[in-house]
Amino acid sequence: MILIFLIWALLSCSVCLAVEPILPLHSVATDERKVALGRQLFFDTRLSRSNEVSCASCHQLATHGADKVPRSKGVEERLGDVRAPSVYNSVFNIRQAWDGKAMDLKAQVTLPVENPKEFATTWPELIDTLSADKSFVSAFKQVYQDGLSRDAISDAIAQYERSLVTLNAPFDLWLQGKGPLSEQAQEGYRLFKYYGCINCHQGKNVGGNMFAKMGTFGDYFGDRGTPIEPADYGRYNVTGREADKFTFKVPGLRLAARQAYFFHDGSEQSLKGAINTMARYQLGRSLSEAQLTAIVAFLESLVGHHQEMAP
Ligand code: HEC
Ligand code: HEC
């Protein structure tokens, strides 16, 4: 009997330690030659019809892999419908885009290529343009059996994005017992769990692994003060299900502390403001200034580093 109890105690304790709701980030296996091709494509403005815009124009890697404006500009300065999220750590998302319309990173590549407000081109046109570059064609031949194709281009870009993981965040090091975490950040993490932010923002990306309605405890869109736009319907635009109206992929918060704007509509400019809105509309709570500051400190501690980022 005592033995059974001891085994139970041992097992439950090791399990309880292993199940923190946020997990450290880790690098993902990639093929170096494909990553190198993907990187070239990511910065290549020939992907856009006007030769003006590249993936990196809207996903700025030196800062946080997203844009510094609420709505990005594609070809001919056309404004997009939603805010550009970060490409860092996107490999860990269950789906890509706010409404999850792309199954994975490879499938996502088609969206900017064909979007009239982004690259505004077509695959045949794009492959035509890139095929004029003989060194590019031969580089692809060496790595991909079929050479330069839609599949190879998408795959190379996705491979590069798989390499965009931000490592060694102070929070991750602390979770693994490898480094300290300030009292304030620890308090922020406690509040994040206590109030239930963790119910939606969890896992490696502190988000990115489920969909949730914007406005569980209040009419976010009614209170926003601007008309509802098609993109505000979120996941509903993909599934057509009534229950998915105003539902979005929960964004990962790994680099939230570096973002210039927040939410799919880019309507919020301050991190504290975004946390306040979340507390109010997702949890029906209001937080004190000290609690907001602690949660900001926790979010700061989630920021890791990647070699593309400015030191
Ligand atoms: C004109 C600006 C712009 C360009 C150019 C652009 N993107 Fe984006 N990107 C966005 C916006 C806006 C979204 C959100 C779209 C949505 O949710 O419908 C997005 C979403 C994404 C996502 C999904 C991230 C997530 O968390 O859901 C990935 C990955 C991505 N882009 C990669 C790329 C790649 C790769 C390229 C180049 C082939 C590219 N983007 C070109 C603006 C841009
Ligand atoms: C019911 C699920 C849910 C809960 C609970 C929740 N969030 Fe969110 N969070 C979301 C969704 C969905 C979005 C995206 C909403 C949008 O863009 O319209 C979001 C967006 C955010 C953003 C903006 C990120 C970005 O890239 O734009 C921050 C910051 C954030 N949440 C922090 C928090 C904090 C802090 C708490 C607890 C006080 C919390 N969230 C509770 C679902 C939730």
Side-chain angles (χ1 to χ4, degrees):
M1 191 62 195
I2 291 173
L3 193 68
I4 292 174
F5 174 74
L6 277 178
I7 292 172
W8 173 81
L10 203 76
L11 276 179
S12 56
C13 185
S14 61
V15 168
C16 75
L17 281 177
V19 290
E20 276 300 324
I22 294 177
L23 301 168
L25 288 172
H26 55 81
S27 48
V28 177
T30 49
D31 177 325
E32 281 315 311
R33 295 180 312 163
K34 294 177 179 171
V35 169
L37 287 175
R39 186 180 190 282
Q40 252 181 295
L41 289 165
F42 196 87
F43 288 91
D44 196 332
T45 54
R46 288 175 301 179
L47 266 64
S48 65
R49 166 163 286 173
S50 59
N51 287 319
E52 293 169 307
V53 187
S54 74
C55 307
S57 311
C58 303
H59 298 286
Q60 294 147 28
L61 298 180
T63 52
H64 55 313
D67 210 342
K68 293 188 202 70
V69 293
R71 303 282 170 101
S72 304
K73 285 180 184 160
V75 297
E76 295 167 0
E77 312 249 303
R78 293 178 202 163
L79 272 188
D81 299 326
V82 283
R83 187 181 66 76
S86 181
V87 284
Y88 282 115
N89 310 312
S90 54
V91 58
F92 299 113
N93 293 336
I94 40 162
R95 296 279 190 281
Q96 303 300 331
W98 285 101
D99 56 13
K101 59 179 157 299
M103 275 302 284
D104 54 26
L105 288 175
K106 200 170 157 183
Q108 190 278 333
V109 175
T110 288
L111 303 178
V113 168
E114 294 178 345
N115 188 331
K117 294 174 177 173
E118 297 186 354
F119 293 158
T121 183
T122 63
W123 280 104
E125 200 175 84
L126 174 55
I127 290 165
D128 238 33
T129 309
L130 294 177
S131 297
D133 182 337
K134 294 300 166 227
S135 67
F136 220 60
V137 172
S138 87
F140 264 83
K141 267 248 152 57
Q142 280 169 29
V143 179
Y144 289 97
Q145 220 166 29
D146 299 334
L148 194 63
S149 66
R150 170 181 176 162
D151 191 72
I153 290 169
S154 303
D155 186 70
I157 292 177
Q159 286 280 334
Y160 174 57
E161 288 174 307
R162 286 165 65 83
S163 76
L164 297 175
V165 178
T166 58
L167 296 172
N168 296 322
F171 182 81
D172 288 1
L173 297 175
W174 174 74
L175 264 190
Q176 296 166 299
K178 294 180 191 163
L181 191 68
S182 73
E183 283 296 322
Q184 203 174 35
Q186 290 193 40
E187 172 62 4
Y189 180 41
R190 193 187 67 76
L191 293 168
F192 196 84
K193 293 193 282 190
Y194 176 75
Y195 281 117
C197 311
I198 200 76
N199 293 338
C200 298
H201 298 278
Q202 46 174 270
K204 292 172 191 167
N205 257 352
V206 199
N209 66 0
M210 61 185 274
F211 291 90
K213 187 175 170 187
M214 179 54 159
T216 318
F217 280 88
D219 184 3
Y220 169 79
F221 292 96
D223 297 346
R224 187 177 61 183
T226 52
I228 291 181
E229 293 175 32
D232 292 329
Y233 290 106
R235 187 92 182 123
Y236 172 81
N237 292 332
V238 178
T239 65
R241 288 176 44 208
E242 199 60 30
D244 288 334
K245 264 190 186 158
F246 308 116
T247 289
F248 300 89
K249 189 181 73 201
V250 175
L253 300 182
R254 281 285 174 181
L255 296 174
R258 292 286 173 274
Q259 278 171 216
Y261 287 88
F262 301 89
F263 302 137
H264 73 284
D265 53 14
S267 61
E268 179 58 61
Q269 210 175 343
S270 100
L271 181 56
K272 274 190 186 166
I275 299 169
N276 236 338
T277 299
M278 278 285 126
R280 172 163 177 210
Y281 290 97
Q282 303 301 65
L283 297 162
R285 298 271 190 167
S286 67
L287 302 177
S288 69
E289 184 59 30
Q291 289 174 322
L292 285 173
T293 306
I295 295 177
V296 168
F298 160 62
L299 295 179
E300 280 283 350
S301 78
L302 294 173
V303 179
H305 193 70
H306 186 277
Q307 68 207 32
E308 299 277 12
M309 288 173 141

